[in-house]
């Protein structure tokens, strides 16, 4: 592959990554997310959160409005905030984010410096291994796009080593794919690429990740195409076609047809099939309104017709491609397209036009080279300023340390002087006081001696009484110590029992791995008020449907925990034993079991629980919800839906004919749902010491809906802690968020 082909391939790869994001979100959704992030940033008081939000805003700015200078300014603000906070990990994240933005704008050498700096900052620090893998892989990708292949392999291997230590299949696949793509660009090492591609494919298959499998079918097919094993390449592209048809992935199908066309074109035997597949790809990208890919495919069809000596048709395709590339201001693509027109006109012996088109091609090529030079100069300047800023910070820290040492010495000297003056004053006062006392003693000595004789008799009598009282007190102390020790032992036994109960209750909750297998995208915000909790969460897959529930038992602490274990047992019996999955039926049956177990019709016991439960049916693509007092909030790209529960508790109902009702809504791609108890909304706090309220909680969930779930969980924790302040926690708190 020559340098121009390499550069073209790299540019297309970057464009594909960006287009995947645009296809998934859409411009309107991206703008809405940007506004939400900016709103959260304005309200945030926590410095760490502000840095994370600034990073997200800079990236979302790129997705929605694509304004490079604005993106860079926001990203640099995040870097400066992290430096002021002196947080190494956040500093590294901010640098890595700026590197990504440069990479999106094809400034690969700038990106390399920032990604590598991010990795070096955390290389020997106790940070999450995932961050090290991200920074190392990003350095590898930027290096590959900049044709620095040895550096690319080095950093991808670093990421692979960490991924292997963590048994992280996702990053094993990413690192292996990156190594394979890099080796494919090194002429004498192309054969080494295939084992890495195959390992990446196995990792994605083990993860059951259809998108990852599709991407690796694409890279392996392209590998065989470059090796001129066109039949083998076609075999993998056929697998890619099947999986994208199953996924109903329009973008994936467009890419598949493009690579089918490229394979036929490179083989050179069935050029009509190359043209047909390019045309299919072009139509799909037109449907997706993807201008860049439309232009690429028009130029590709021009190349096919040029090879078939259909010069008129070739010129038509080239000219259509030119009109789009001009609107996109893609100088490199314009240079290649003008070169195609030059070759077409030369073949028809229209030498004047051929020379004119060739000159335009060279002019654009020179313009690209000049831009590369300017970018390199700017990269070196930025690197110089970055190092200079770091050096200034280190110097300021040294000056600060020196000033603190000098200030400490001055304070110590002043304190010594003050101590000397105080001691001198005490000494003078003591001398005067002693003299006065001596004088007074002389006058009162006689009187005192007489009084002493009388008092001695009284003292002897009191001493005997005190001795008796002392014996009694000592006896009482012994008894008190025994009673206190007994209370301590009882308290220790009670606390040990509660701690053991906590372990039992924790064991009954779904494990992280179990939840991850059922809900790959989710978070659990769980804050018990006491050691054990009356709130608990529950999720199970029964037959072909998934059940998810949030339960809030009456009260809190040990009584509520006992009720939670009873509820968990009955839920398991009804679903796993009796195979019931209808939410309203489950609530009704659970109410009957609780009332019967506590004999509530006779004892008039009012204990029970509130509950929200939903059934996710992927086959019928529906979500069915039923609630006992508690609601569900669902948010998708069209807006939000708030479904209230029935007005009955579970348990404590003396009416025989209470009914819970189902509410069913269609599942939508990317829909996110939230279940919660009343603990968050009922927490007292804030400047006026009021309840947080359900309305505020729903607003927060809506604002942060587009964040990843890990950031949502952290944000909820910070909002809750800030609102609660120094107040006692009112109740157990539970919020569940997941993507269906």
């Amino acid at each position: 592959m020559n340098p121009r082909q390499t550069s073209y391939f790299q540019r297309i790869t970057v464009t594909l990554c960006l287009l995947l994001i645009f296809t998934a979100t859409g411009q309107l959704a991206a703008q809405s997310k940007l506004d939400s992030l900016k709103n959260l940033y304005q309200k945030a008081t926590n410095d760490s959160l502000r840095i994370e939000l600034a990073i997200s805003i800079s990236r979302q700015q790129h997705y929605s409005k694509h304004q490079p200078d604005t993106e860079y300014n926001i990203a640099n603000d995040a870097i400066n905030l992290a430096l002021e906070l002196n947080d190494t990990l956040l500093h590294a994240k901010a640098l890595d984010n700026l590197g990504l933005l440069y990479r999106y704008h094809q400034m690969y050498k700038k990106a390399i410096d920032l990604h590598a700096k991010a990795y070096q900052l955390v290389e020997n620090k106790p940070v999450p291994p995932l961050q090290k893998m991200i920074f190392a892989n990003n350095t590898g990708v930027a290096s590959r796009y900049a044709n620095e292949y040895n550096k690319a392999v080095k950093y991808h291997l670093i990421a692979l080593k960490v991924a292997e230590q963590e048994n992280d299949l996702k990053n094993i696949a990413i690192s292996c794919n990156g190594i394979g793509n890099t080796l494919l660009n090194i002429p004498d090492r192309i054969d080494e690429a295939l084992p890495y591609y195959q390992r990446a494919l196995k990792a994605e298959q083990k993860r059951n990740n259809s998108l990852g499998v599709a991407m690796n079918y694409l890279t392996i097919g392209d590998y065989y195409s470059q090796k001129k094993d066109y039949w083998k390449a076609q075999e993998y592209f056929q697998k890619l076609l099947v999986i994208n048809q199953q996924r109903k992935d329009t973008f994936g199908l467009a890419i598949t047809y493009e690579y089918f066309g490229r394979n036929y074109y490179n083989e050179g035997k069935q050029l009509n099939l190359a043209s047909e597949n390019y045309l299919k790809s072009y139509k799909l990208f037109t449907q997706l309104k993807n201008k860049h890919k439309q232009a690429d495919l028009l130029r590709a069809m021009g190349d096919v017709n040029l090879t078939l000596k259909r010069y008129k048709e070739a010129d038509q395709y080239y000219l259509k491609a030119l009109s789009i590339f001009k609107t996109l201001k893609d100088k490199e693509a314009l240079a290649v397209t003008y070169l195609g027109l030059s070759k077409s006109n030369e073949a028809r012996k229209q030498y004047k036009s051929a020379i004119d088109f060739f000159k335009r091609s060279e002019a654009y090529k020179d313009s690209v080279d000049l831009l590369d030079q300017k970018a390199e100069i700017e990269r070196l300047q930025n690197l110089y300023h970055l190092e200079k800023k770091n050096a200034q910070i280190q110097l300021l820290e040294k000056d600060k340390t020196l000033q603190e040492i000098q200030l400490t010495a001055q304070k110590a000297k002043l304190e010594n002087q003050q101590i000397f003056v105080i001691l001198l004053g005490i000494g003078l006062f003591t001398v005067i006081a002693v003299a006065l006392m001596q004088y007074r003693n002389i006058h009162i000595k006689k009187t005192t001696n007489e009084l002493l004789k009388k008092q001695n008799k009284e003292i002897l009598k009191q001493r005997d009484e005190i001795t008796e009282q002392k014996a009694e007190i000592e006896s009482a102390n012994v008894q008190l110590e025994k009673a206190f020790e007994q209370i301590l032992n009882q308290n220790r036994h009670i606390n040990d029992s509660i701690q053991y109960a906590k372990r039992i209750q924790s064991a009954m909750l779904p494990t992280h791995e179990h939840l991850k297998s059922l809900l790959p995208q989710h978070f659990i915000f769980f804050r018990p008020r006491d050691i054990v909790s009356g709130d608990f969460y529950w999720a199970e897959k029964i037959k072909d449907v998934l059940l998810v529930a949030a339960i809030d038992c009456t009260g809190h602490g040990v009584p509520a925990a006992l009720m939670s274990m009873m509820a968990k047992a009955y839920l398991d019996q009804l679903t796993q034993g009796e195979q019931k999955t209808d939410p309203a039926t489950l609530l009704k049956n659970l109410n009957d079991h609780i009332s019967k177990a506590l004999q509530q019709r006779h004892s008039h016991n009012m204990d029970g629980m509130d509950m929200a439960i939903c059934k996710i049916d992927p086959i019928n693509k529906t979500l069915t919800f039923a609630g006992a007092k508690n609601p569900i909030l669902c948010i998708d790209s069209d807006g939000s839906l708030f479904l209230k529960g029935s007005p009955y508790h579970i348990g404590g109902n003396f009416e025989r004919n209470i009914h819970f009702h189902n509410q069913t809504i269609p599942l939508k791609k990317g829909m996110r749902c939230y279940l919660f108890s009343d603990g968050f909304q009922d927490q007292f706090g804030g400047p006026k010491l009021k309840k947080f309220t359900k309305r505020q909680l729903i607003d927060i969930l809506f604002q942060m809906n587009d964040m990843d779930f890990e950031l949502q969980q952290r944000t909820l924790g910070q909002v809750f802690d800030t609102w609660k302040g120094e107040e006692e926690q009112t109740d157990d708190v539970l919020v569940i968020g997941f993507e269906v």
Side-chain angles (χ1 to χ4, degrees):
M1 186 181 291
N2 62 46
R4 182 162 295 282
Q5 289 173 324
T6 301
S7 176
Y8 175 68
F9 176 75
Q10 293 165 348
R11 182 176 50 75
I12 293 302
T13 306
V14 174
T15 306
L16 294 182
C17 294
L18 294 175
L19 289 170
L20 279 169
I21 297 167
F22 279 112
T23 305
T25 59
Q27 288 287 355
L28 289 175
Q31 181 59 41
S32 175
K33 182 175 180 180
L34 179 61
D35 293 339
S36 297
L37 287 169
K38 287 182 176 179
N39 187 35
L40 283 172
Y41 181 82
Q42 293 297 327
K43 294 180 179 179
T45 56
N46 181 280
D47 290 336
S48 298
L49 181 59
R50 285 173 65 84
I51 294 166
E52 295 273 16
L53 288 169
I55 290 171
S56 298
I57 291 168
S58 67
R59 211 151 329 155
Q60 194 61 36
Q61 182 76 37
H62 175 79
Y63 301 151
S64 59
K65 293 190 176 180
H66 204 57
Q67 297 172 338
D69 290 340
T70 303
E71 299 162 25
Y72 301 153
N73 288 337
I74 298 170
N76 276 306
D77 287 343
I79 293 173
N80 292 330
L81 282 171
L83 284 169
E84 291 174 7
L85 191 58
N86 197 25
D87 187 313
T88 302
L89 179 56
L90 285 176
H91 184 196
K93 282 185 176 181
L95 290 172
D96 185 69
N97 174 63
L98 183 57
L100 283 174
L101 294 173
Y102 280 134
R103 203 172 88 202
Y104 295 158
H105 294 288
Q106 302 173 33
M107 300 181 182
Y108 304 125
K109 290 192 175 181
K110 285 185 178 182
I112 293 171
D113 295 334
L114 292 161
H115 291 319
K117 182 69 175 177
Y119 174 74
Q120 289 160 10
L121 283 174
V122 302
E123 182 178 8
N124 298 312
K125 295 289 193 308
V127 301
L130 176 62
Q131 295 300 328
K132 295 183 181 181
M133 290 184 274
I134 291 172
F135 300 153
N137 272 323
N138 282 343
T139 309
V141 172
S143 300
R144 184 171 79 251
Y145 291 162
N147 300 329
E148 295 187 19
Y149 301 124
N150 289 334
K151 183 179 288 186
V153 171
K154 171 188 171 183
Y155 277 96
H156 282 312
L157 283 172
I158 289 171
L160 178 59
K161 183 178 179 181
V162 179
E164 288 171 341
Q165 291 171 349
E166 297 297 315
N167 194 28
D168 185 333
L169 290 175
K170 178 181 178 181
N171 278 285
I172 287 174
I174 292 171
S175 302
C176 287
N177 198 275
I179 295 169
N181 288 338
T182 304
L183 294 172
L184 201 62
N185 288 281
I186 305 175
D188 58 345
R189 299 189 66 182
I190 291 176
D191 292 338
E192 297 177 40
L194 183 58
Y196 286 102
Y197 284 143
Q198 291 171 334
R199 186 177 178 191
L201 176 60
K202 287 180 181 178
E204 296 293 10
Q205 287 172 334
K206 192 171 181 180
R207 292 178 63 223
N208 197 27
N209 178 18
S210 60
L211 178 60
V213 171
M215 291 176 67
N216 281 283
Y217 281 155
L218 179 67
T219 53
I220 295 174
D222 191 47
Y223 164 82
Y224 281 115
S225 183
Q226 291 197 45
K227 292 286 290 182
K228 299 184 179 180
D229 189 345
Y230 301 112
W231 282 105
K232 195 72 174 176
Q234 191 168 344
E235 177 184 331
Y236 276 93
F237 292 147
Q238 190 62 42
K239 292 180 181 179
L240 177 63
L241 179 62
V242 171
I243 200 169
N244 280 324
Q245 287 172 337
Q246 291 172 346
R247 286 169 48 81
K248 297 181 181 179
D249 185 345
T250 305
F251 185 87
L253 287 169
I255 290 292
T256 306
Y257 289 128
E258 179 186 5
Y259 273 74
F260 264 123
R262 187 183 298 177
N263 192 52
Y264 284 124
Y265 179 73
N266 290 337
E267 186 180 18
K269 293 181 180 179
Q270 303 180 72
L271 293 176
N272 285 331
L273 288 177
S275 187
E276 288 177 13
N277 280 282
Y278 279 147
L279 184 58
K280 287 181 181 179
S281 179
Y282 172 77
K283 289 179 179 178
L284 290 173
F285 278 122
T286 302
Q287 180 182 332
L288 293 170
K289 298 180 181 180
N290 187 326
K291 294 292 185 183
H292 217 141
K293 293 302 296 180
Q294 290 176 48
D296 285 337
L297 287 156
L298 287 168
R299 186 176 61 196
M301 287 188 280
D303 292 340
V304 173
N305 282 281
L306 179 62
T307 305
L308 290 170
K309 298 182 180 180
R310 299 174 185 167
Y311 302 120
K312 185 176 180 181
E313 290 86 345
D315 283 1
Q316 289 174 350
Y317 283 120
Y318 284 140
L319 289 170
K320 287 180 181 179
L322 276 176
S323 66
I324 298 175
F325 282 136
K326 285 178 180 178
T327 62
L328 297 174
K329 298 180 181 180
D330 189 333
K331 295 183 179 180
E332 186 175 351
L334 285 166
V336 176
T337 310
Y338 273 122
L339 185 61
L341 279 168
S342 176
K343 290 178 180 179
S344 175
N345 280 268
E346 182 182 3
R348 285 181 290 163
K349 298 183 180 180
Q350 296 181 5
Y351 298 116
K352 183 178 179 182
S353 297
I355 291 171
D356 180 57
F357 287 131
F358 181 77
K359 286 180 178 178
R360 295 188 189 186
S361 174
E362 289 298 305
Y364 277 113
K365 189 193 301 182
D366 292 341
S367 178
V368 170
D369 292 339
L370 182 59
L371 286 174
D372 288 342
Q373 292 174 15
K374 289 182 178 179
E376 176 64 12
I377 292 169
E378 188 179 346
R379 180 186 74 85
L380 294 173
Q381 288 175 338
N382 287 341
L383 187 61
Y384 167 75
H385 290 310
L386 182 63
E387 294 299 330
K388 184 177 180 182
K389 184 178 290 185
N390 287 335
Q392 288 173 343
I393 290 170
Q394 292 174 358
L395 184 60
L396 286 172
E397 288 177 348
K398 289 180 180 178
D399 288 344
K400 182 179 178 182
T401 303
L402 181 60
Q403 290 173 0
E404 287 176 350
I405 292 170
Q406 291 174 343
L407 183 61
T408 301
Q410 290 175 355
K411 285 177 67 178
K413 184 177 180 181
L414 182 61
E415 287 173 357
N416 288 335
Q417 291 174 347
Q418 290 174 340
I419 291 169
F420 176 76
V421 172
I422 291 169
L423 289 175
L424 181 61
I426 291 171
L428 290 172
F429 176 78
T430 303
V431 170
I432 294 169
V434 168
L436 290 172
M437 289 175 66
Q438 187 67 26
Y439 175 78
R440 182 172 176 272
N441 286 340
I442 293 171
H443 288 281
I444 65 173
K445 186 175 181 180
K446 293 179 180 180
T447 307
T448 302
N449 287 335
E450 292 176 0
L451 288 172
L452 283 173
K453 289 177 182 180
K454 292 180 181 179
Q455 289 174 352
N456 280 339
K457 292 180 180 180
E458 293 177 2
I459 288 170
L460 289 172
K461 182 180 179 181
Q462 291 173 356
R463 185 187 66 183
D464 294 337
E465 292 175 354
I466 290 170
T467 302
E468 292 177 3
Q469 292 173 355
K470 182 179 179 183
E472 293 174 359
I473 291 170
E474 288 176 350
S475 176
N477 282 339
V478 170
Q479 293 176 358
L480 286 172
E481 287 175 359
K482 289 180 180 180
F484 183 69
E485 184 65 28
Q486 186 177 2
I487 291 169
L488 284 178
N489 287 333
Q490 290 174 347
N491 186 60
R492 192 179 301 112
H493 290 318
I494 292 169
N495 192 57
D496 289 344
S497 297
I498 295 174
Q499 289 292 345
Y500 190 73
K502 179 185 178 183
R503 290 198 295 272
I504 294 173
Q505 188 180 42
S506 298
M508 81 175 190
L509 295 174
T511 64
H512 175 73
E513 292 75 14
H514 182 61
L515 284 174
K516 196 75 174 176
S517 69
L518 299 177
L519 297 166
Q521 296 292 326
H522 79 279
F523 76 85
I524 303 289
F525 179 69
F526 184 44
R527 288 273 188 93
R529 199 199 86 158
D530 302 309
I531 296 174
V532 289
S533 172
D535 287 8
F536 72 99
Y537 48 94
W538 178 86
E540 284 296 339
K541 186 173 184 182
I542 307 298
K543 299 178 182 177
D544 295 323
V545 301
L546 174 62
L547 295 171
V548 184
I551 302 96
D552 179 4
C553 296
T554 303
H556 45 75
V558 174
L562 290 173
M563 183 65 69
S564 73
M565 297 183 74
M566 184 187 299
K568 167 70 165 55
Y570 284 135
L571 270 177
D572 289 343
Q573 176 185 326
L574 291 169
T575 55
Q576 298 175 11
E578 301 177 20
Q579 297 290 296
K580 294 182 179 179
T581 61
D582 180 70
T585 302
L586 287 171
L587 293 180
K588 180 67 169 65
N589 289 166
L590 188 57
N591 177 71
D592 294 342
H593 281 301
I594 294 295
S595 295
K596 183 177 180 181
L598 298 179
Q599 302 182 26
Q600 290 182 329
R601 297 194 185 280
H602 306 293
S603 66
H604 295 286
N605 176 283
M606 297 294 290
D607 291 330
M609 62 204 69
D610 298 336
M611 181 171 172
I613 183 168
C614 64
K615 177 178 73 174
I616 301 167
D617 187 343
I619 295 176
N620 296 313
K621 295 185 178 179
T622 59
L623 183 148
T624 302
F625 164 77
K629 302 290 284 186
N630 284 354
I632 187 172
L633 173 66
C634 295
I635 304 173
D636 57 36
S637 58
D638 296 328
S640 64
L641 192 62
F642 184 78
L643 304 179
K644 294 183 178 180
S646 301
Y648 304 108
H649 296 281
I650 292 172
N653 295 301
F654 304 127
E655 300 177 18
R656 293 185 179 274
N657 296 317
I658 66 167
H659 295 285
F660 298 96
H661 64 277
N662 287 326
Q663 301 178 66
T664 302
I665 61 174
L667 291 179
K668 296 183 180 180
K669 186 176 181 180
M671 177 184 284
R672 292 183 168 187
C673 299
Y674 301 90
L675 304 173
F676 44 87
S677 67
D678 59 4
F680 202 118
Q681 66 201 42
D682 287 347
Q683 178 60 47
F684 284 96
K688 296 183 179 180
L689 202 59
K690 292 185 176 181
K691 288 186 177 182
F692 190 80
T693 74
K694 185 185 294 183
R695 180 72 264 165
Q696 278 200 86
L697 177 58
I698 291 171
D699 289 344
I700 288 292
L701 293 173
F702 189 80
Q703 289 176 9
M704 70 181 190
N705 177 60
D706 290 321
M707 297 181 187
D708 64 70
F709 282 115
E710 182 182 350
L711 184 55
Q712 286 192 41
Q713 184 184 37
R714 290 207 309 271
T715 302
L716 274 178
Q718 290 166 349
V719 170
F720 183 78
D721 290 336
T722 301
W723 180 264
K724 182 171 75 71
E726 299 298 323
E727 297 300 314
E728 292 291 331
Q729 185 169 327
T730 308
D731 196 359
D732 301 320
V733 176
L734 173 62
V735 182
I736 304 173
F738 57 90
E739 184 172 308
V740 299

